[in-house]
Amino acid sequence: MTIYSFWIFDKHCNCIFDKEWTIPSQPRSGTTNSKQNENVAKLLYGLIFSLRSITDKISSDPVDFLSQKNRIRSITTGKCRVHLFETATGFWFALMTDFKQDDYYDILNHIYKNIFVRFISLNYISPSDFVENEDEKGGQGIRKINNKNFINNLELFLSPLIS
Amino acid sequence: MSSSAGQQQIKTLKVLGEDVWKNKVEKINSELFTLTYGTIVSQLCQDYDRDFEKINDELYKMGYNIGVRIIEDFLARTALPRCTDFNTTSEVISKVAFKVFLNLTPTIANWSQSNDAFSLIISDNPLSDFVELPIDAMKSLWYSNVYCGVLKGALEMVQLDCDVSFVSDILRGDNQTELRIKLNKVLKDEIPVIED
Amino acid sequence: MSTDNIIYPSTSDDSFKRPNHGYDYTKGAKSHTTIESSSINYPTKIYNDSLVANRKEVSLSSMAFLFQQMIIHFHKDSKTVHEFEEKLLTNGFQIGSKLLELLNFRSSINPTNSSRTSTFLSSNTNLPTPKMQSQTSYDTTSGNSSIPSNNAVISKTTTQNTISNQEAASTSHYSSIANTINKMKRRDLKILDILQFIHGTLWSYLFNHVSDDLVKSSERNNEYMIIDNNPVLTQFINNNIKNSCNYFMCGIINGFLNNAAFICKVTPHRMPTENSDERIVYLIKFDSQVLERENLRFSS
């Protein structure tokens, strides 16, 4: 099970966090929120966004809202697979991995519940909305999650999974 | 308006709310909650010199700040998706949200003609346990105004722009504590700006 | 003579310290109405609510969020850290003083009477035979406040014998809990007693468990420590003002002790151990007059 990278997008189409593991055996290696990943982030966002709008249009209306809409779980290409988890508040969590496992839903759910909510939402020092003005909406924002607790806990959690 | 499918949905939500409350929520003594809120309000009365309009606003703002964050906690615990219509929203707020955070189930009432506004009737409000308002506050203070802010903030994060306000409050001598929620519009999801 | 430090008796009413506020014959009667003390002319239901612990709970998240907003608001309004801590201390103080009265009252309600309290909180069951209530012993030491209320019970029960059971049950719905108290809990006069009460009863009331330790300082006679391995309220606050936020809890302890006439100062200190990273020690420094009083009273 190799995890290549992890991305978080918010409802303003911005990538607010990205982490890439370059050397698989060393979980603390790799880059966090690096500038080179900005373009990749935008492309990834665009890919997810387009596929999502298409699947929304294809699928029929659900009977009741609890049976969820037909949402994308993963996108597979020749070299890797991107797993998606989205919340009703517009946060998307994307995990780019190899093909060993079909579904990383539980892992992403855990990251959301126990790491993101615990260290970002419940922490009043960390902003709840990562844009500060109109210019940063629509994918043009630049603010990232820098919270050390979040990053440390994320690495701690994902490191046993990176082999 | 509720069909049998609607009834089934309401029941599922009720069960979900109770299940999350019982199993997934850490609990704390409600009296500590009441007392803390009481000192907050009395500190505000001191800070703003008993200008109750300002105090109402400040409680609303505090609630708003709570609301934009508490929605994430709520979604993490209940894993609910976005609601398809306002009816469902009202049920989720009443049977799941209030239950999970306050162990209350307010009743939904007074739907407007166009189905865009409803009232929540809260009996047994924990914030106002053993509270008595002085005469000048009774005229203009909405003691539990923080609820309005919380609901506004939380609903805004799921793209529902609403106006939330108190209609009546037992502490003011009315018969019941009633909160009115009116949907203004559904906010559109953002799309990325296209750069040349 | 006036510079001697008087050791004040342990009464919670300190009006004797201010002799000027009595009736001043040169001025006549003072009108003393504040806005708060204006008469309330609508029936508030709070006087009918039961004071018995009803074990209502809310989620920890709600409390944490509310606490955070309180911190933010106070922090905004304070210019210095000290002012911020003082504000938290004052607010906690108000809570602590209320809890002193409430918890003492509740611990006086005899737990074996719980069947009786539940009978008169539900209006459909019959009252237990009045004779049992009159047998509550008068052997208890003098000075407890239950004697007058028991007298009232006796006169009430004789008349109730003539009322039908149904009526008796319904009138009992509004009779006060105080009637079931056989022996009112005595005020704690010793330092150790009241600290035990905080360590046990207050902590269980607030957090559902007793505090992790109660320690007397070996270096100084007037210092005691209450230890909390995992402070519940501040667990989600993770930055440099975290320790200042513990002043709220200190305020609660302070209010509790001060109103029980144990003047003290309480401060929080973070002392992590291997097991608990967030361990907080609440250091309670009693005023010297408290120790003097204790020595005078209880040293043999």
Side-chain angles (χ1 to χ4, degrees):
Chain A
M1 231 189 315
T2 320
I3 298 185
Y4 299 131
S5 53
F6 175 68
W7 313 75
I8 305 182
F9 299 97
D10 72 357
K11 65 178 181 176
H12 298 289
C13 316
N14 294 327
C15 173
I16 55 175
F17 185 76
D18 63 82
K19 185 158 175 61
E20 201 172 348
W21 283 270
T22 42
I23 308 170
S25 51
Q26 286 186 22
R28 292 213 169 228
S29 69
T31 58
T32 311
N33 293 333
S34 72
K35 266 209 160 280
Q36 297 126 335
N37 279 336
E38 265 178 34
N39 285 328
V40 181
K42 289 203 173 126
L43 289 170
L44 190 58
Y45 185 88
L47 173 70
I48 300 173
F49 182 80
S50 323
L51 281 177
R52 215 165 145 264
S53 6
I54 296 174
T55 50
D56 269 354
K57 294 203 176 91
I58 297 177
S59 57
S60 51
D61 290 322
V63 174
D64 67 276
F65 93 113
L66 285 171
S67 64
Q68 312 200 8
K69 277 190 180 177
N70 200 14
R71 282 280 140 86
I72 303 183
R73 295 270 225 162
S74 62
I75 303 171
T76 312
T77 66
K79 290 208 166 159
C80 65
R81 187 171 281 163
V82 180
H83 304 263
L84 276 182
F85 176 86
E86 64 176 76
T87 72
T89 41
F91 285 105
W92 297 352
F93 294 78
L95 202 61
M96 206 185 278
T97 69
D98 64 0
F99 300 109
K100 285 224 181 94
Q101 200 166 307
D102 268 345
D103 194 13
Y104 275 75
Y105 183 82
D106 291 327
I107 293 182
L108 286 169
N109 197 4
H110 184 274
I111 294 179
Y112 175 58
K113 262 167 76 160
N114 302 348
I115 305 181
F116 184 79
V117 170
R118 173 89 173 70
F119 294 109
I120 305 290
S121 309
L122 260 55
N123 177 12
Y124 71 95
I125 296 288
S126 156
S128 66
D129 193 354
F130 286 85
V131 311
E132 313 229 327
N133 51 51
E134 283 300 316
D135 291 334
E136 293 180 13
K137 291 191 181 173
Q140 297 167 91
I142 43 154
R143 273 163 236 288
K144 308 275 182 185
I145 295 178
N146 286 318
N147 187 306
K148 289 202 198 71
N149 276 323
F150 174 79
I151 297 177
N152 288 340
N153 274 281
L154 183 69
E155 281 171 7
L156 258 160
F157 175 66
L158 287 178
S159 52
L161 305 169
I162 305 169
S163 49
Chain B
M1 167 143 181
S2 48
S3 55
S4 67
Q7 295 284 30
Q8 184 59 34
Q9 185 177 296
I10 294 176
K11 228 168 137 202
T12 324
L13 288 174
K14 195 152 193 255
V15 167
L16 174 68
E18 283 168 11
D19 177 56
V20 173
W21 167 253
K22 241 196 274 180
N23 303 328
K24 296 191 194 159
V25 171
E26 278 172 33
K27 305 179 184 56
I28 198 170
N29 189 345
S30 118
E31 289 181 3
L32 177 61
F33 186 61
T34 310
L35 289 168
T36 309
Y37 189 70
T39 72
I40 293 177
V41 177
S42 69
Q43 180 71 41
L44 285 176
C45 287
Q46 229 182 328
D47 288 343
Y48 291 118
D49 223 11
R50 301 182 86 83
D51 179 351
F52 293 114
E53 285 307 321
K54 273 207 195 136
I55 297 176
N56 283 338
D57 280 340
E58 187 64 31
L59 286 172
Y60 190 86
K61 264 193 238 149
M62 286 172 80
Y64 183 84
N65 289 333
I66 294 180
V68 300
R69 291 172 188 276
I70 210 171
I71 182 75
E72 304 286 349
D73 192 25
F74 176 69
L75 292 174
R77 284 183 211 279
T78 57
L80 286 171
R82 282 200 195 157
C83 297
T84 44
D85 57 271
F86 204 49
N87 238 314
T88 323
T89 310
S90 69
E91 294 294 338
V92 169
I93 294 177
S94 144
K95 308 241 160 15
V96 192
F98 268 89
K99 178 71 182 172
V100 164
F101 288 116
L102 298 169
N103 200 17
L104 288 179
T105 312
T107 7
I108 301 176
N110 298 342
W111 274 101
S112 69
Q113 285 282 31
S114 41
N115 260 350
D116 64 350
F118 64 94
S119 291
L120 284 173
I121 315 244
I122 306 175
S123 54
D124 213 14
N125 182 3
L127 291 180
S128 52
D129 270 345
F130 300 113
V131 173
E132 195 176 63
L133 290 181
I135 287 272
D136 59 343
M138 274 181 73
K139 300 202 182 73
S140 36
L141 178 69
W142 292 115
Y143 186 78
S144 313
N145 213 27
V146 73
Y147 286 154
C148 300
V150 172
L151 285 169
K152 167 115 180 111
L155 288 170
E156 201 170 281
M157 294 301 274
V158 283
Q159 307 292 81
L160 294 171
D161 178 16
C162 295
D163 283 334
V164 188
S165 57
F166 266 99
V167 172
S168 64
D169 194 349
I170 287 189
L171 294 176
R172 280 193 172 195
D174 303 320
N175 293 342
Q176 57 189 11
T177 305
E178 185 178 337
L179 206 63
R180 189 126 188 101
I181 304 183
K182 179 170 178 314
L183 176 66
N184 291 331
K185 60 176 185 208
V186 178
L187 299 166
K188 278 213 185 135
D189 288 327
E190 274 177 49
I191 49 177
V193 164
I194 302 176
E195 294 165 32
D196 294 324
Chain C
M1 273 305 261
S2 56
T3 54
D4 278 350
N5 272 335
I6 304 174
I7 301 174
Y8 293 115
S10 51
T11 140
S12 51
D13 171 21
D14 52 357
S15 62
F16 60 85
K17 285 189 202 150
R18 299 184 300 262
N20 309 327
H21 284 217
Y23 178 72
D24 188 348
Y25 65 93
T26 56
K27 293 188 190 149
K30 265 194 305 197
S31 70
H32 179 67
T33 48
T34 60
I35 300 169
E36 291 93 19
S37 59
S38 319
S39 60
I40 310 283
N41 50 10
Y42 72 95
T44 39
K45 66 181 189 62
I46 64 175
Y47 300 109
N48 288 335
D49 284 345
S50 163
L51 276 176
V52 174
N54 53 12
R55 297 191 196 292
K56 268 182 17 177
E57 291 170 316
V58 294
S59 93
L60 179 62
S61 305
S62 335
M63 182 67 211
F65 278 113
L66 190 67
F67 187 72
Q68 268 186 17
Q69 284 305 308
M70 184 175 79
I71 301 281
I72 294 175
H73 183 83
F74 288 171
H75 196 68
K76 223 173 20 168
D77 275 350
S78 316
K79 301 188 193 70
T80 65
V81 175
H82 185 69
E83 199 181 323
F84 172 63
E85 292 170 356
E86 279 300 311
K87 271 206 170 139
L88 283 174
L89 205 59
T90 326
N91 280 290
F93 195 95
Q94 289 181 24
I95 295 185
S97 39
K98 290 176 188 157
L99 286 182
L100 173 70
E101 294 301 327
L102 182 67
L103 293 179
N104 271 324
F105 176 78
R106 282 192 181 153
S107 62
S108 312
I109 299 176
N110 193 336
T112 62
N113 277 352
S114 61
S115 57
R116 268 194 235 165
T117 52
S118 63
T119 55
F120 69 24
L121 290 176
S122 65
S123 44
N124 284 332
T125 55
N126 298 328
L127 261 187
T129 58
K131 286 200 197 111
M132 271 166 62
Q133 282 180 333
S134 61
Q135 264 162 22
T136 56
S137 63
Y138 290 104
D139 316 326
T140 57
T141 52
S142 61
N144 67 48
S145 57
S146 65
I147 293 185
S149 58
N150 275 339
N151 276 331
V153 165
I154 290 183
S155 53
K156 200 172 172 191
T157 53
T158 48
T159 54
Q160 273 172 346
N161 275 327
T162 62
I163 306 173
S164 68
N165 266 343
Q166 179 105 27
E167 261 180 54
S170 59
T171 53
S172 73
H173 184 71
Y174 294 113
S175 59
S176 71
I177 307 261
N179 287 343
T180 63
I181 296 179
N182 301 339
K183 179 180 178 189
M184 195 71 188
K185 177 174 178 295
R186 308 205 68 189
R187 249 183 329 136
D188 292 310
L189 298 174
K190 286 196 195 161
I191 291 180
L192 228 8
D193 286 343
I194 195 155
L195 286 177
Q196 287 280 11
F197 193 75
I198 293 181
H199 155 80
T201 315
L202 178 66
W203 231 258
S204 324
Y205 168 79
L206 290 173
F207 305 123
N208 281 330
H209 65 88
V210 301
S211 81
D212 294 304
D213 212 352
L214 170 62
V215 174
K216 181 175 183 333
S217 157
S218 44
E219 297 153 27
R220 277 173 272 260
N221 228 2
N222 62 342
E223 283 184 3
Y224 290 80
M225 292 171 257
I226 290 196
I227 299 182
D228 195 351
N229 282 340
N230 275 314
V232 169
L233 293 176
T234 51
Q235 62 180 298
F236 298 113
I237 301 178
N238 40 10
N239 65 339
N240 51 356
I241 66 165
K242 185 169 185 154
N243 199 38
S244 305
C245 299
N246 286 312
Y247 271 88
F248 185 70
M249 196 58 223
C250 289
I252 297 182
I253 301 177
N254 202 1
F256 198 91
L257 287 169
N258 273 26
N259 273 32
F262 290 87
I263 315 289
C264 61
K265 286 198 185 12
V266 188
T267 47
H269 301 273
R270 183 153 175 262
M271 288 189 189
T273 62
E274 326 86 49
N275 291 338
S276 45
D277 200 34
E278 298 305 326
R279 190 161 160 269
I280 297 282
V281 172
Y282 297 105
L283 182 65
I284 307 174
K285 266 204 192 120
F286 286 105
D287 208 29
S288 52
Q289 55 165 295
V290 173
L291 285 144
E292 287 242 27
R293 190 181 73 203
E294 179 116 339
N295 278 333
L296 285 175
R297 265 199 193 135
F298 296 115
S299 59
S300 46

